[in-house]
Amino acid sequence: MTIIKAKDFTEKLSKAGHVRYTKQNASLGKYGPKNPKIISLGLGDPRPDTFIFSEVSATVANLYNKDGSSDSTDSAQTTISLSEKKSPGSLVEGLDVLLQYGDGYGVRSLLGYAKNLVKNSHCPQYEDWDVIISCGSTDGLDKATDVFLNDGDNIIVDEYTYINAIKTFEAKSYNQVSVGMDTEGMIPEELDRVCSNWQGPNPLKAIYLIPTGQNPTGTTMSLQRRKDIYSVCQKHDLIIIEDDPYYYIQFGDAPVADGETTLSPEYLSKLPGTKNLLPSMLLFDVDGRVIRLDSMSKLMAPNLRTGWITAQKRVIDIIRAHTDTTLIRANGLSMGLLSRLLLEEWKEEGFEKHVAFVQKQYVYRRNLLVKSMKERLGNMIEFSVPETGMFVWLKVNLPDEAKREGVVDELFEKMTEKNMLMIPGFLFSADQKNPNVKDIPYFRATFVYAPLEELDMAIERLETVLLEFGCKK
Ligand code: PLP
């Protein structure tokens, strides 16, 4: 069997990436507390016997015992705890380690879990890949871009994309180059056309993609689309930042159905669970050009601030050097509790049940919102049914007499007056000041947050607004 090594992209590194690559601190860690022969007067770590917590416990709700059709909170609970020192036989570090400083990779138990998950789920094609724990995708994106991009460098983005990505890129003075999308996300031919005709002062170096349940458009790239985009990126030698926080919230080909059907065993068997998910581009990344961002935010809870980054080892080393001097390492309590839960409490079976639970909850909500939109709004809007994630992206079909400058702001104001909220589409565009973009009546609606019984009420309010603007069903 041939062993593939990642391509060397060091000539593409940013100034900061280059410094972090060439001047990585020779680690003093090996001389530290872990070497019992050495009396350390050297390192700045406080003594663990001064740490304020000697035990931390958390109640796990085991949400998958809930009925997916209701918002009730009854559940079979279990308690997990972290003790002062690693318990004999446990895979998870004690609080003496979890609450201590450490290198940027993150605690070893969670790192090991993440590596295993990446290996089994995405089967990276080259040998020298690695993982680092992040504080979620947004943190990962900030660090991943820093590896390769300087002020004034170009980053290719979807025509509409994640607001925090736009803001991050603006603040870093990157030039955002938008590429058109269709119902499967970025169009490969468009990407090829933009790259082939590129005449800007700096070369095109990197691309930012959200392949699954794209925010804001809810689009999901099919396997073929992922492969096509990857080959265009190969052709133009682009580094790919794959932000995939909605990876586990896929609905496969489960159609829109009414409440009861949605909960039937036959319907639920159409959901992909953990085994039939559309894959990461790591699956065909023979060059090591993909930097993948995973997040626990949508699956567990956002403010655990935990996720991980997978990329070729050289890139992970640079991100580790960055983390060492900024964050130092992700939060020890979050990492420890997740490790205990994933490695020792849930194990594979519990994780699978939880993923199935989340998919069931969200598909049920998607179906409710989509049915209500179809029934109440008819031709007043256009939209595609999302197969993944949290968002429905819709365009209001305004009559000609309502098409005017500022109409999206007017619509937004009327919606909030009627106590319903959707986010205007132009806010997700890197080109949002352009009047041609600002007045296109796109909106992003999410089906995951409002109480179930209020989803239809929100659409009823929207119906009143659209009728006031002269839209026709
Ligand atoms: N990336 C995308 C595309 C998102 O839509 C979101 C959430 O809204 C995030 C990242 C945030 O993820 P995290 O909480 O892991 O930073």
Side-chain angles (χ1 to χ4, degrees), residues 79-283:
T79 301
I80 53 173
S81 56
L82 302 166
S83 44
E84 202 166 354
K85 298 229 179 277
K86 184 172 176 167
S87 319
S90 171
L91 301 166
V92 180
E93 295 78 357
L95 290 165
D96 56 341
V97 172
L98 293 171
L99 295 179
Q100 185 58 281
Y101 287 126
D103 64 43
Y105 287 115
V107 299
R108 294 306 187 259
S109 57
L110 189 64
L111 193 62
Y113 177 85
K115 278 188 190 173
N116 220 17
L117 197 65
V118 168
K119 186 163 154 239
N120 295 333
S121 314
H122 310 309
C123 317
Q125 294 297 299
Y126 57 93
E127 191 192 34
D128 46 337
W129 59 275
D130 205 356
V131 173
I132 183 171
I133 302 296
S134 69
C135 284
S137 275
T138 314
D139 170 52
L141 178 61
D142 179 47
K143 296 202 165 71
T145 45
D146 259 25
V147 175
F148 289 106
L149 300 175
N150 294 308
D151 285 15
D153 272 348
N154 306 297
I155 183 148
I156 300 175
V157 294
D158 286 311
E159 194 178 352
Y160 294 95
T161 194
Y162 175 41
I163 288 182
N164 282 348
I166 296 178
K167 288 189 179 154
T168 301
F169 302 158
E170 269 171 7
K172 292 182 179 210
S173 302
Y174 301 160
N175 176 39
Q176 302 183 54
V177 180
S178 304
V179 172
M181 306 169 77
D182 63 13
T183 51
E184 283 195 34
M186 191 178 282
I187 305 169
E189 296 75 17
E190 272 296 292
L191 176 61
D192 189 32
R193 189 186 59 74
V194 168
C195 295
S196 302
N197 297 330
W198 181 249
Q199 306 221 316
N202 296 320
L204 296 171
K205 247 197 225 174
I207 181 168
Y208 170 65
L209 294 168
I210 309 160
T212 322
Q214 203 260 6
N215 183 1
T217 63
T219 51
T220 295
M221 290 185 184
S222 63
L223 180 60
Q224 190 55 49
R225 175 64 60 95
R226 286 166 204 246
K227 287 183 179 166
D228 293 345
I229 289 279
Y230 183 81
S231 23
V232 179
C233 293
Q234 253 187 331
K235 176 176 167 194
H236 297 285
D237 204 16
L238 299 172
I239 301 294
I240 302 169
I241 301 175
E242 178 187 68
D243 186 6
D244 212 2
Y246 307 103
Y247 171 70
Y248 286 108
I249 311 177
Q250 300 188 28
F251 312 135
D253 49 13
V256 175
D258 60 32
E260 241 162 71
T261 312
T262 302
L263 296 173
S264 73
E266 200 203 332
Y267 185 87
L268 293 175
S269 70
K270 295 185 200 301
L271 293 173
T274 56
K275 300 285 189 269
N276 297 308
L277 296 163
L278 279 161
S280 159
M281 286 192 199
L282 287 174
L283 186 64

Side-chain angles (χ1 to χ4, degrees), residues 257-316:
D258 60 32
E260 241 162 71
T261 312
T262 302
L263 296 173
S264 73
E266 200 203 332
Y267 185 87
L268 293 175
S269 70
K270 295 185 200 301
L271 293 173
T274 56
K275 300 285 189 269
N276 297 308
L277 296 163
L278 279 161
S280 159
M281 286 192 199
L282 287 174
L283 186 64
F284 27 86
D285 179 22
V286 285
D287 300 335
R289 65 175 68 249
V290 172
I291 306 177
R292 175 177 169 81
L293 311 177
D294 272 292
S295 168
M296 289 286 100
S297 290
K298 315 294 178 193
L299 201 57
M300 303 288 184
N303 218 11
L304 285 168
R305 301 313 303 138
T306 308
W308 43 86
I309 309 173
T310 308
Q312 59 162 282
K313 182 152 176 35
R314 268 181 287 251
V315 169
I316 294 297

